[in-house]
């Protein structure tokens, strides 16, 4: 039998790319490849890329440059670009970086083995179609290997919202939900292989409306209740949600479904109605705040996280102050914030841009407030009893590390538990980026 070829995948961007990289590795497993964690001995290098901000996209070209030596030393080495940069730039990538053999967009991963074969024959292989067949259906060669306690599972992909700053509707295409049956089957398989926590993924995951067994569309909440029935699955999370798709049944599930964790990522982007309108967000700061009130009424201890863009075209000091005010009102447990980055082909890229130093200064001020609330949320955990799912051994002997129900990193000294154990822990200390706890029971 011929020796297995080695595949090195480097993943950038969001969790959906992490999930896709796993699927690609499986698809290539069918074509005789095993994964390797270094590019040095690889027969194929695949960059799974992100196009969301300028820096993210530029990274791809500098990374490709770094592989030149490897390619020169081993002309057989195949280099591929997948993900959102592949979708957005297509052939241009091969023009700019001729050593790229293969370009594959996020909806064509099931065609990866064919593309690889084509590249092996010395041809340039490109596929950035949005095919009608479901890429996930043909990606079902899962080896039954054991895996870690947490997993991502994509249930919905694409976006029809067209926020004025965002490339996702162009790189991932329009919204598609996978059927309930397929998702449940995949979740059961994951649980059989050791997974205890599943995070359901979608660019607009709460807009999920996949076909149920009877043919009618199911909501995300209904899907969550179905997954709740799986023995051995202990925790369910989902991300990313859009404020306008936060339906009543989903809010209610946060209060009533014990497996659904008390953490919600609900990006708002800005606290200024003027800017939200220009962003084409179709919600106001006020409607967002009222929504948060309803979510907190259903689940008072829920930890909220958000995304913010500062320095969007025409953002004034007043608009920025509105964002800071909203942050004070919501008190996020976590937040991601970015300087606005112009993206080719999006409406906001055509508008007058703010100077870089204004963006930087606002970002710094916003991050200071976010850090304050983040720390306060974390400190408030001290003295509380929380569930912790242990994911790995810590740096110190006997120490175990996991995530709390609220997604805080928690470490416990001298913990006689295995990876994959969900245990009750009393939080005893709050550090810079994690909590320390004491095991209560197994
Ligand atoms: N679907 C999700 C988020 C997708 S992108 C949602 O609607 O909330 C993840 C985050 O990247 C966004 O929430 C936004 O804060 C940020 N982002 C997207 N485009 C950006 C741009 N052009 N410049 C800076 N940040 C951007
Ligand atoms: Fe991008 Fe807006 Fe769609 Fe989120 S909702 S993926 S920010 S266009
Ligand atoms: Fe990036 Fe594409 Fe995800 S642009 S954030 S990898 S959907």
């Amino acid at each position: 039998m011929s020796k297995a070829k080695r595949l090195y995948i480097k993943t950038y961007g969001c969790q959906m790319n992490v999930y896709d990289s796993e699927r690609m590795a499986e698809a290539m497993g069918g074509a005789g490849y095993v994964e390797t964690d270094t590019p040095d001995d690889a027969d194929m290098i695949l960059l799974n890329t992100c196009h969301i901000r300028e820096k993210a996209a530029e990274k791809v070209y500098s990374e490709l440059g770094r592989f030149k030596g490897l390619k020169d030393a081993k002309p057989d080495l195949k280099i591929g670009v997948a993900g959102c940069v592949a979708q957005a730039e297509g052939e241009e990538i091969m023009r700019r970086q001729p050593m790229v053999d293969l370009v594959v967009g996020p909806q064509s991963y099931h065609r990866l083995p064919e593309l690889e074969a084509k590249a092996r024959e010395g041809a340039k292989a490109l596929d950035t179609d949005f095919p009608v067949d479901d890429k996930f259906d043909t990606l079902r060669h899962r080896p039954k290997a054991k895996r870690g306690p947490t997993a991502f599972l994509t249930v919905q992909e694409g976006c029809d919202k067209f926020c004025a700053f965002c490339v996702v509707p162009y790189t991932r295409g329009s919204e598609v939900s996978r059927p309930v049956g397929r998702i449940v089957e995949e979740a059961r398989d994951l649980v059989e292989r050791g997974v205890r926590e599943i995070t359901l993924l979608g660019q607009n995951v709460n807009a999920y409306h996949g076909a149920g067994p009877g043919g009618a569309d199911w909501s995300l909440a209904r899907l969550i209740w179905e997954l709740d029935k799986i023995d051995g699955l202990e925790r369910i999370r989902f991300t990313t949600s859009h404020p306008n798709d936060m339906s009543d049944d989903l809010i209610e599930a946060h209060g009533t479904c014990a497996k659904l964790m008390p953490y919600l990522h609900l990006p708002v982007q800005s606290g200024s109605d003027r800017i939200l309108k220009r962003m084409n967000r179709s919600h106001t700061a006020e409607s967002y705040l009222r929504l948060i009130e309803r979510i907190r009424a259903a689940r008072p201890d829920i930890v909220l996280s958000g995304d913010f863009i500062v320095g969007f075209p025409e953002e004034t000091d007043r608009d920025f102050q509105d964002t800071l005010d909203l942050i004070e009102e919501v008190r996020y447990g976590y937040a991601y914030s970015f300087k606005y980055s112009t993206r080719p082909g999006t409406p906001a890229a055509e508008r007058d841009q703010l100077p870089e130093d204004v963006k930087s200064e606002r970002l710094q001020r916003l991050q200071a407030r976010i850090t304050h609330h983040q720390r306060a949320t974390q400190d408030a955990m001290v003295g509380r009893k929380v569930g912790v799912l242990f994911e790995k051994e810590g740096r110190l002997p006997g120490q175990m590390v996991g995530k709390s129900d609220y997604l805080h990193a928690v470490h416990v000294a001298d913990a006689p538990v295995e990876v994959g154990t969900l245990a009750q822990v009393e939080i005893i200390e709050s550090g810079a980026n994690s909590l320390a706890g004491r095991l209560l029971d197994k």
Side-chain angles (χ1 to χ4, degrees):
M1 213 178 96
S2 65
K3 205 167 126 266
K5 286 181 282 200
R6 282 183 238 267
L7 171 68
Y8 172 73
I9 306 185
K10 183 155 181 177
T11 308
Y12 302 83
C14 61
Q15 291 115 322
M16 197 160 286
N17 266 10
V18 176
Y19 177 83
D20 284 343
S21 289
E22 288 173 9
R23 294 293 77 73
M24 285 193 278
E26 283 170 8
M28 292 303 284
Y33 276 86
V34 293
E35 258 193 289
T36 169
D37 51 15
T38 155
D40 301 336
D41 64 357
D43 300 287
M44 179 167 171
I45 293 176
L46 203 51
L47 299 184
N48 193 7
T49 62
C50 173
H51 201 240
I52 201 83
R53 283 168 290 275
E54 195 179 351
K55 271 195 191 141
E58 277 309 312
K59 255 193 222 158
V60 177
Y61 288 103
S62 58
E63 186 75 37
L64 284 170
R66 305 228 313 259
F67 295 137
K68 186 158 186 329
L70 286 176
K71 180 95 175 173
D72 287 344
K74 189 175 175 182
D76 260 4
L77 169 67
K78 297 295 165 204
I79 296 186
V81 177
C84 291
V85 176
Q87 190 62 46
E89 304 206 342
E91 258 175 287
E92 177 61 24
I93 300 175
M94 289 164 166
R95 264 195 291 276
R96 215 173 132 179
Q97 189 47 272
M99 69 176 178
V100 172
D101 304 287
L102 185 158
V103 171
V104 58
Q107 305 310 332
S108 308
Y109 293 156
H110 50 302
R111 297 184 181 159
L112 200 50
E114 284 166 50
L115 292 168
E116 188 264 355
K118 196 168 164 194
R120 286 267 154 235
E121 285 163 13
K124 294 276 178 193
L126 172 83
D127 193 338
T128 51
D129 289 350
F130 287 105
V132 282
D133 45 334
D134 178 354
K135 69 171 183 185
F136 299 108
D137 279 356
T138 35
L139 287 178
R140 290 166 82 194
H141 314 286
R142 277 172 183 276
K144 289 277 175 192
K146 181 135 176 70
R147 40 174 305 162
T150 64
F152 294 132
L153 201 177
T154 294
V155 302
Q156 178 277 340
E157 226 186 315
C159 180
D160 300 332
K161 296 237 168 14
F162 292 92
C163 298
F165 49 82
C166 184
V167 293
V168 170
Y170 312 96
T171 62
R172 292 276 170 171
S174 54
E175 269 181 27
V176 177
S177 296
R178 295 177 67 196
V180 172
R182 293 266 190 273
I183 296 166
V184 172
E185 182 188 5
E186 193 169 326
R188 284 190 195 285
D189 174 75
L190 288 168
V191 171
E192 272 170 32
R193 291 158 60 200
V195 169
R196 295 289 160 262
E197 170 181 310
I198 291 180
T199 302
L200 306 175
L201 299 181
Q203 265 95 22
N204 276 295
V205 71
N206 56 345
Y208 176 84
H209 55 89
D217 280 1
W218 281 28
S219 67
L220 183 67
R222 194 159 172 204
L223 175 68
I224 288 169
W225 280 112
E226 190 64 22
L227 297 173
D228 177 77
K229 294 182 195 156
I230 300 177
D231 282 338
L233 178 63
E234 316 259 16
R235 287 172 154 186
I236 303 168
R237 304 181 186 276
F238 60 88
T239 198
T240 295
S241 300
H242 191 284
N244 287 7
D245 294 315
M246 210 59 214
S247 56
D248 291 344
D249 59 347
L250 190 57
I251 296 175
E252 196 188 315
H254 270 291
T256 49
C257 179
K259 289 186 183 176
L260 184 59
M261 290 295 104
Y263 183 99
L264 178 65
H265 185 58
L266 197 61
V268 65
Q269 315 298 355
S270 167
S272 154
D273 288 344
R274 216 176 64 85
I275 294 299
L276 285 170
K277 196 157 189 200
R278 284 167 166 70
M279 285 178 165
N280 192 30
R281 282 292 291 185
S282 63
H283 58 77
T284 62
E286 186 61 23
S287 70
Y288 179 83
L289 291 169
R290 296 293 79 80
L291 175 61
I292 299 282
E293 267 174 19
R294 286 170 50 219
I295 296 164
R296 283 195 165 131
R299 181 77 202 223
D301 61 340
I302 199 161
V303 167
L304 294 161
S305 72
D307 288 346
F308 293 91
I309 295 178
V310 302
F312 187 76
E314 297 172 49
E315 185 188 70
T316 63
D317 282 334
R318 177 69 245 168
D319 295 319
F320 178 63
Q321 188 55 49
D322 288 344
T323 301
L324 293 178
D325 292 347
L326 180 136
I327 288 170
E328 293 312 305
E329 199 159 337
V330 177
R331 293 167 281 111
Y332 291 92
Y334 209 86
Y336 304 83
S337 50
F338 315 97
K339 283 193 261 187
Y340 169 69
S341 169
T342 51
R343 306 312 293 127
T346 60
E350 314 294 320
R351 303 180 195 160
D352 286 343
Q353 304 298 320
L354 259 59
E356 201 54 29
D357 57 336
V358 173
K359 293 188 197 176
S360 300
E361 190 261 344
R362 286 182 188 165
L363 185 68
Q364 247 178 25
R365 281 170 61 201
L366 181 135
Q367 286 182 339
R369 289 319 295 161
I370 282 171
T371 308
H372 167 83
H373 292 296
Q374 194 171 315
R375 192 60 207 251
T377 309
Q378 202 189 291
D379 292 349
M381 294 287 157
V382 175
R384 291 189 52 185
K385 297 174 180 60
V386 297
V388 171
L389 178 63
F390 289 100
E391 293 177 12
K392 56 181 187 205
E393 291 174 7
R395 261 176 295 147
L396 306 173
Q399 188 189 50
M400 292 295 288
V401 186
K403 293 271 168 58
S404 80
D405 298 342
Y406 306 94
L407 218 50
H408 288 117
V410 179
H411 52 90
V412 176
D414 303 317
V417 290
E418 284 172 18
V419 167
T421 307
L422 178 66
Q424 285 297 306
V425 167
E426 182 186 346
I427 301 300
I428 50 182
E429 208 185 309
S430 172
N433 294 307
S434 63
L435 297 165
R438 184 173 68 83
L439 211 58
L440 292 174
D441 61 55
K442 273 214 211 176

